[in-house]
């Protein structure tokens, strides 16, 4: 059983459309991170959220941490083909320095 | 800085063979770890190290050994390869501290096939 559940598993949209990816758990986290992984490469950190209710923006990407620090979402506005990739969420539980990853959402943006 | 480097990029083994996946980082990070990535299962932690001479098991350690003789290097050894170990392996490193915002850096991965 994975600590983090990501949905949907796959998402295919047309360029210009919006999309949202979810990361959920029954556990409370001290922090949650979002990574993007392109084919043939390692994951790259996009953002870290720490405070319940926190919202962070990275250009067209908006990240939100749930009030109870058990869930998070990633919203992409006006998606572009360059947004294509595997989006992974990862968490650290209290007093633990190890990162646990969700299974990921594969996003494909068609031109 | 080269960041985190991994060799080889690709490897094919026969069942029962042994090999070592190499990982090195030049950022003076204390914390290093190995993950395997399989379709639909995300990244699963194999082993990790919080400094030279200190290693510990992660979520899926069976069939793998590690050692950490220097801060820079963290090799992963497959003792007797099995088809179930066919996967993509990633090495990662970061500063070992109490901050939950520390960035973890990943290598480019080693794609291993066991026949």
């Amino acid at each position: 059983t994975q600590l983090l559940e990501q949905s949907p598993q796959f998402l295919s949209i047309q360029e210009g459309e919006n999309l949202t990816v979810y990361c959920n758990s029954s556990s409370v986290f001290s922090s949650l991170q979002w990574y993007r992984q392109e084919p043939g490469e390692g994951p790259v950190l996009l953002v870290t959220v720490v405070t319940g209710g926190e919202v962070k923006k990275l250009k067209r990407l908006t990240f939100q941490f749930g009030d109870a620090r058990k869930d998070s979402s990633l919203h992409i506005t006006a998606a572009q083909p360059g947004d294509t990739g595997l989006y992974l969420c990862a968490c650290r539980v209290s007093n633990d320095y190890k990162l646990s990853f969700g299974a990921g959402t594969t996003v494909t943006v068609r031109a | 800085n080269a960041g985190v480097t991994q060799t080889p990029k690709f490897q094919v083994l026969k069942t029962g063979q042994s090999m070592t996946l190499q990982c090195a980082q030049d950022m003076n990070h204390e914390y290093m770890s190995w993950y395997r990535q399989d379709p639909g299962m995300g990244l699963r932690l194999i082993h990790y190290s919080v400094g030279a001479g200190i290693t510990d098991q992660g979520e899926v350690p069976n069939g793998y050994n590690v050692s950490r003789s220097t801060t820079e290097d963290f090799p992963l050894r497959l003792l007797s390869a099995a088809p179930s170990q066919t996967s993509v392996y990633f090495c990662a490193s970061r500063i070992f501290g109490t901050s939950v915002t520390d960035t973890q850096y990943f290598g480019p991965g080693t794609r291993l096939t066991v026949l």
Side-chain angles (χ1 to χ4, degrees):
Chain A
T1 305
Q2 288 199 284
L3 184 60
L4 293 169
E5 296 292 332
Q6 288 192 244
S7 62
Q9 188 175 358
F10 300 97
L11 195 54
S12 181
I13 61 171
Q14 201 71 31
E15 182 176 3
E17 294 181 338
N18 301 333
L19 69 95
T20 302
V21 174
Y22 300 93
C23 177
N24 298 294
S25 177
S26 57
S27 299
V28 176
F29 309 127
S30 53
S31 68
L32 192 137
Q33 298 183 324
W34 284 95
Y35 291 78
R36 180 167 64 207
Q37 183 180 14
E38 298 186 10
E41 299 182 7
V44 175
L45 179 67
L46 294 174
V47 76
T48 302
V49 286
V50 178
T51 306
E54 182 176 5
V55 176
K56 282 193 173 179
K57 292 193 175 183
L58 187 65
K59 296 183 180 178
R60 294 174 294 99
L61 278 61
T62 301
F63 304 86
Q64 186 159 6
F65 201 15
D67 292 340
R69 291 188 291 135
K70 293 183 178 182
D71 56 88
S72 181
S73 63
L74 158 59
H75 182 79
I76 301 179
T77 303
Q80 298 177 359
D83 296 323
T84 292
L86 175 66
Y87 289 82
L88 296 157
C89 63
C91 69
R92 289 172 69 174
V93 297
S94 181
N95 298 323
D96 191 344
Y97 40 77
K98 298 189 293 293
L99 275 179
S100 294
F101 284 82
T105 295
T106 300
V107 172
T108 303
V109 182
R110 305 184 304 274
Chain B
N1 282 357
V4 181
T5 58
Q6 291 183 239
T7 56
K9 184 78 171 173
F10 300 95
Q11 183 70 48
V12 179
L13 292 177
K14 294 182 179 178
T15 297
Q17 287 185 317
S18 62
M19 79 158 295
T20 299
L21 279 62
Q22 302 292 342
C23 174
Q25 53 92 9
D26 61 0
M27 297 174 281
N28 202 31
H29 287 166
E30 302 94 337
Y31 184 90
M32 296 185 73
S33 53
W34 277 101
Y35 293 86
R36 60 176 289 172
Q37 186 174 37
D38 302 292
M41 302 192 74
L43 289 157
R44 292 183 292 169
L45 184 65
I46 304 172
H47 285 284
Y48 64 96
S49 169
V50 299
I54 306 169
T55 64
D56 206 346
Q57 296 181 349
E59 184 185 355
V60 288
N62 292 342
Y64 308 95
N65 271 0
V66 292
S67 60
R68 185 98 177 268
S69 56
T70 67
T71 299
E72 295 78 18
D73 300 297
F74 190 43
L76 177 72
R77 298 182 187 84
L78 278 70
L79 308 173
S80 177
S84 61
Q85 293 179 305
T86 293
S87 187
V88 182
Y89 291 85
F90 288 98
C91 179
S93 76
R94 72 165 192 266
I95 296 170
F96 179 55
T98 56
S99 172
V100 296
T101 62
D102 289 334
T103 300
Q104 181 150 286
Y105 298 89
F106 284 85
T110 293
R111 187 175 295 274
L112 176 67
T113 301
V114 183
L115 303 175

